[in-house]
Amino acid sequence: MTHILLTRPEEKSQQLAERLSNMAIKSTIQPLLALEAIAVSEQQLAMLESADIVLFVSQDAARFLHALKPELAKHSRCLAVGKSTAETVTELFNKPCASPLVETSEGLLAMPDLNNVASKQIVLVKGKGGRNKLAQELKAREAIFQPLAVYQRLANANLNDAMAAKWQANGIDAVVLTSNASIDSFLAIATNKTWLSQLTVYLVSERCVNYLQEKANVKHIINCQGADNDSIINAIAGQHKHQQSHAMEQEKDITAKSTISEKPTSKAQTTSNSASKAAVAKQSSSGKAIAVVALLVSLTAVGGLGYCYTLFQQQKNFLVKLNNENNTLAEQIAQVNTQALALKNQNQQLQSALSAQVSEAELALNEKIAQQLHAANQQTPELNREEVKSLYRMAEFKALVQNDYLGAAAMLARLDVLLENFPGTQQARAALHQDIQALQAVQTADVEGLYLKLSGLIANLDELPLNMVVLPEEADKVDPQALSNNVDDWQSNLKRSWDLLVDDFIKVRKRTAPIEPLLSQEEQALIRHQLRFYMAQAQTALTKQQPAIFSTALQQAQNVVNNYYDVQAANVKYLNNQLSELHARPLVFTPEITFNSAAAIKELL
């Protein structure tokens, strides 16, 4: 009798076990994996808010994601690998979810929603690891693919080699494995290769089949073509019927052989009975007892033959019934295939009709758009006079009130762009361009730049050297060696000789004017304060737009520098040059602006 090991989580395995019990198939539940939630960041969940398509690989993925309470985009399309997963997604997220007929990654990729996914954002909700084919194929289709792992599979800590030996002792001859992770966990403890090679392994996809064939030598592998309970039940039922049919054929062969071997025995028994009867006729004295014994033996032989014949007929009737059921099942399968083919043809016809309708709708829409564009081009645009008046007044306000001449030019440029789409505005636009050029040519005083420049000069005033003393020119020098030839000048000649003698010890220079005294500390402070005051006054006049006071203050500051500072020093020369440059610069704060376009705009309005 078939005994199947169910390895999915307890709840799912219990549902499958109940259905197997109704089919008189024994099962044992032993989950191989434990599911554990994975920490998911807010940034990862935010991907769902902008996703175009959300893919779910299992019911567990849907449940673990729902526990995080994410926000799915209203426009997003939900797809699932299997029907059960799609129903779970619809129930949890209240959104429609579609699934393919073939519940595999290949079937999901064949869905129309995943045909044209270039530049679309796709989020795959799954467990940790696996589903590499989906990722590779969607990236190849130029989709923006983003995996979102919400749980991970961990091996059951209670599994060991002794448990695998217990399974073998209990007569388990089949196992259901639903993922590559469960295959790894099962093979880790199923170390008996002989038992493993005799097992019937039910897998849920071609991907799992290939993975198991690479990992172990298993001879009996059945692909259920889906991970839902219906697919697994159908695969087990088909295999169970096949095993029963094979067992019946073996039993039929054994029965036939036993019947053939019993026929000679019956003949021998019949011959023996004839001989017994002859003996009874000859020996009447002792024949009664022997006759009774012979009769009993004959009756026993006939009863045995009748029982064997009855058993043979029952087996024959059962085989006929089984063949009839197989024929009926084959007819049903043929009908299902015919219906599937008809549905496929109908689907192709619907797709063709839908494509034709879409093409017709696009053609009609393009024609309607072309007609509307043609009608719009035929219409004469109407000038928004209030907008023209508003832009022109804004330009005047910026130029005459805010002194923002570039801003006024920008307003007039916007007005020119507005007028270029309307006929009869050439004269007004010409006047606007004249005003725009005039406004862009206005050069006003750079008040901020001049103010900062004066601040820099004032900061260095304390480092300027003052002219502390003014020495007069030396008196004309007399040649000490020039002696007079006049005898009467003997006294002067003697004095000059004495001066020449002591010249090496003491030198006395004579000036033509008296030497002015040095400046006192108070005088130095007053001079520096006076220079600073004049330059600060120039700054104040600059901010108040008073060009006359600005020029006078700079002139006074320059006079102080020339009278009291060392004009030969480099930093004093630099200050003097800067003051001269500032004094010579013309200051224009509010130039006179006249809008030549005023009359043209007034006439246009």
Side-chain angles (χ1 to χ4, degrees):
M1 182 178 180
T2 302
H3 189 177
I4 302 177
L5 177 65
L6 306 180
T7 62
R8 301 180 89 176
E10 186 72 27
E11 180 182 354
K12 296 180 180 179
S13 294
Q14 188 63 40
Q15 297 174 0
L16 187 58
E18 292 176 358
R19 298 183 63 176
L20 291 175
S21 177
N22 296 332
M23 299 168 57
I25 297 177
K26 187 178 180 181
S27 62
T28 297
I29 299 176
Q30 178 56 64
L32 296 180
L33 302 174
L35 303 183
E36 182 181 72
I38 296 178
V40 180
S41 65
E42 294 293 335
Q43 184 178 3
Q44 289 176 307
L45 288 178
M47 298 187 303
L48 297 170
E49 298 178 4
S50 58
D52 297 307
I53 299 175
V54 182
L55 305 179
F56 294 87
V57 301
S58 64
Q59 299 180 56
D60 295 321
R63 293 191 182 99
F64 276 99
L65 179 63
H66 182 260
L68 300 175
K69 298 180 179 180
E71 291 291 337
L72 298 184
K74 293 182 179 180
H75 69 278
S76 63
R77 174 79 167 142
C78 292
L79 303 177
V81 175
K83 180 180 178 181
S84 301
T85 303
E87 294 174 352
T88 303
V89 172
T90 302
E91 178 183 355
L92 295 178
F93 296 97
N94 196 23
K95 285 179 70 69
C97 185
S99 62
L101 294 177
V102 180
E103 299 181 355
T104 60
S105 298
E106 292 76 6
L108 184 64
L109 290 169
M111 296 184 69
D113 292 299
L114 297 180
N115 286 341
N116 299 319
V117 292
S119 302
K120 287 188 178 181
Q121 187 171 349
I122 300 178
V123 177
L124 176 63
V125 184
K126 64 185 188 71
K128 185 177 181 181
R131 298 294 174 181
N132 294 327
K133 182 176 180 60
L134 277 174
Q136 295 173 359
E137 183 63 27
L138 291 174
K139 289 180 180 178
R141 297 180 184 181
E142 300 181 356
I144 303 174
F145 179 79
Q146 294 173 322
L148 178 59
V150 294
Y151 70 95
Q152 61 181 349
R153 301 180 181 90
L154 302 177
N156 194 334
N158 298 324
L159 300 178
N160 49 44
D161 296 342
M163 184 171 291
K166 182 178 179 181
W167 294 340
Q168 184 177 358
N170 290 339
I172 289 178
D173 56 359
V175 60
V176 177
L177 302 174
T178 58
S179 66
N180 291 348
S182 63
I183 292 174
D184 291 335
S185 182
F186 180 76
L187 295 179
I189 59 174
T191 57
N192 190 330
K193 295 183 179 179
T194 302
W195 176 64
L196 188 62
S197 64
Q198 296 173 354
L199 280 177
T200 299
V201 182
Y202 294 93
L203 302 177
V204 297
S205 66
E206 189 67 25
R207 178 171 58 90
C208 293
V209 172
N210 296 334
Y211 187 77
L212 178 60
Q213 289 176 345
E214 293 176 359
K215 291 286 185 177
N217 181 20
V218 179
K219 298 179 180 179
H220 307 290
I221 299 176
I222 298 177
N223 187 354
C224 301
Q225 301 295 337
D228 59 294
N229 288 341
D230 291 337
S231 299
I232 297 174
I233 286 293
N234 292 336
I236 294 175
Q239 180 66 14
H240 187 61
K241 288 182 178 180
H242 176 73
Q243 290 177 351
Q244 285 183 341
S245 175
H246 183 67
M248 292 297 296
E249 289 179 358
Q250 289 181 344
E251 185 175 356
K252 179 180 177 181
D253 293 340
I254 294 173
T255 303
K257 290 179 181 179
S258 64
T259 303
I260 293 172
S261 62
E262 287 175 356
K263 286 182 179 179
T265 304
S266 299
K267 185 176 181 181
Q269 289 176 352
T270 303
T271 306
S272 176
N273 289 337
S274 301
S276 297
K277 289 180 180 179
V280 170
K282 293 180 180 181
Q283 298 177 0
S284 56
S285 58
S286 60
K288 292 182 179 180
I290 297 173
V292 172
V293 173
L295 180 62
L296 291 176
V297 172
S298 300
L299 291 175
T300 301
V302 171
L305 289 174
Y307 174 76
C308 292
Y309 179 75
T310 303
L311 181 63
F312 172 74
Q313 288 295 119
Q314 290 178 352
Q315 292 178 348
K316 183 178 180 180
N317 294 334
F318 180 77
L319 289 175
V320 171
K321 182 179 179 181
L322 184 62
N323 289 330
N324 293 333
E325 290 179 355
N326 288 338
N327 294 333
T328 303
L329 182 61
E331 291 177 358
Q332 292 177 352
I333 292 174
Q335 292 177 359
V336 171
N337 291 334
T338 303
Q339 293 176 357
L341 182 60
L343 289 175
K344 183 177 180 181
N345 295 333
Q346 185 179 1
N347 186 27
Q348 291 177 350
Q349 292 176 359
L350 289 175
Q351 288 183 352
S352 301
L354 182 60
S355 300
Q357 291 177 0
V358 171
S359 300
E360 292 177 358
E362 289 181 352
L363 183 60
L365 180 60
N366 292 334
E367 291 179 355
K368 187 175 181 180
I369 292 174
Q371 292 175 359
Q372 291 179 352
L373 290 175
H374 180 71
N377 293 331
Q378 295 298 324
Q379 294 178 357
T380 303
E382 184 178 354
L383 180 62
N384 189 343
R385 302 180 185 278
E386 292 299 326
E387 187 176 3
V388 174
K389 187 183 299 183
S390 176
L391 289 173
Y392 195 77
R393 287 180 177 177
M394 182 63 71
E396 290 181 332
F397 178 78
K398 284 186 173 292
L400 302 179
V401 178
Q402 295 181 343
N403 296 329
D404 183 6
Y405 305 107
L406 294 179
M411 290 293 104
L412 294 181
R414 287 181 56 185
L415 180 56
D416 177 65
V417 173
L418 176 63
L419 295 178
E420 69 178 355
N421 296 323
F422 298 92
T425 59
Q426 288 77 8
Q427 183 177 357
R429 291 184 61 201
L432 286 176
H433 278 279
Q434 183 178 355
D435 287 342
I436 291 172
Q437 298 301 323
L439 289 171
Q440 291 178 346
V442 171
Q443 292 184 356
T444 58
D446 184 10
V447 176
E448 184 178 359
L450 295 175
Y451 188 91
L452 294 176
K453 187 172 185 178
L454 286 172
S455 297
L457 295 175
I458 292 173
N460 297 320
L461 290 181
D462 292 338
E463 300 178 2
L464 300 179
L466 293 169
N467 188 9
M468 301 299 293
V469 61
V470 179
L471 296 177
E473 297 293 335
E474 293 184 7
D476 295 337
K477 296 181 181 179
V478 180
D479 188 2
Q481 297 179 356
L483 299 177
S484 174
N485 295 325
N486 192 350
V487 179
D488 295 333
D489 295 331
W490 64 273
Q491 291 181 347
S492 59
N493 289 335
L494 180 61
K495 187 176 183 301
R496 291 172 182 171
S497 298
W498 173 257
D499 290 338
L500 180 62
L501 180 63
V502 299
D503 187 53
D504 292 334
F505 299 98
I506 298 174
K507 291 184 179 180
V508 179
R509 293 186 177 90
K510 294 182 179 182
R511 301 286 178 174
T512 57
I515 298 176
E516 296 182 1
L518 297 173
L519 295 174
S520 64
Q521 294 294 332
E522 294 180 358
E523 289 174 337
Q524 294 179 32
L526 287 174
I527 291 172
R528 296 185 185 278
H529 180 72
Q530 187 178 19
L531 179 58
R532 188 182 302 275
F533 169 76
Y534 285 135
M535 296 186 70
Q537 187 180 28
Q539 281 185 312
T540 303
L542 187 64
T543 57
K544 293 183 177 181
Q545 298 185 3
Q546 296 172 339
I549 297 177
F550 177 78
S551 178
T552 303
L554 291 179
Q555 183 63 49
Q556 294 292 342
Q558 197 169 10
N559 291 339
V560 172
V561 171
N562 292 331
N563 291 334
Y564 296 103
Y565 283 82
D566 185 4
V567 295
Q568 301 300 324
N571 48 3
V572 176
K573 286 183 179 180
Y574 176 76
L575 175 62
N576 217 346
N577 293 334
Q578 294 298 317
L579 292 176
S580 299
E581 181 181 344
L582 292 173
H583 183 265
R585 176 177 298 183
L587 297 181
V588 179
F589 295 103
T590 55
E592 295 183 2
I593 299 297
T594 303
F595 282 85
N596 297 319
S597 58
I601 294 298
K602 183 176 181 181
E603 182 180 355
L604 181 64
L605 297 177

